[in-house]
Amino acid sequence: MSYPEQKYWGENGEVSASFRPASTPADRGQGDSGQDAIHYLATTAATRGEFGLYRVEMKPKAGGPKTHFHKTISESFYILDGTVRLFDGERWVDARKGDFLHVPQGGLHAFRNDSDAPADMLLLFTPGAPREEYFEQVSELADASEEERTAFFDKHDSYFVD
């Protein structure tokens, strides 16, 4: 295995880092009010398509998406706090603080918070994909037709199997 293709051609480096303080409010939802919240830590646009990193705060009994897979992106889960039920394609596991699950392209997976306590995790998508639009619009599908739902999930590389 070798290093990826060179992307920076300068000789002295540049000032281009971005800092996001922990006090930054959620980009989607409001975790403190009992709702799920999503923090856009590193969007695909910010990482030039290399990855997307999101912090997900889940309320108690929040549920989660059904079993699905992605054709173009991998998804990784790192539990920061609480208990998140993760499906690895074969079995459900109660993942706790410090637990990690990597799902390559095509890998069946699901997650949910079935506990009576909140949970907090990081989601990493590689390579980067515009997941912000997915997070912002998925809740609007309740009144969508089956064709609209299918088109939305196809657009966002999400293929549900149950």
Side-chain angles (χ1 to χ4, degrees), residues 3-21:
Y3 276 84
E5 181 181 329
Q6 182 175 337
K7 293 186 179 181
Y8 175 73
W9 296 95
E11 295 297 323
N12 299 312
E14 65 184 16
V15 177
S16 56
S18 60
F19 175 73
R20 188 178 195 276

Side-chain angles (χ1 to χ4, degrees), residues 51-67:
F51 67 92
L53 180 63
Y54 307 89
R55 178 179 166 204
V56 180
E57 296 177 84
M58 301 173 74
K59 66 183 179 185
K61 303 285 188 192
K66 294 181 179 182
T67 302

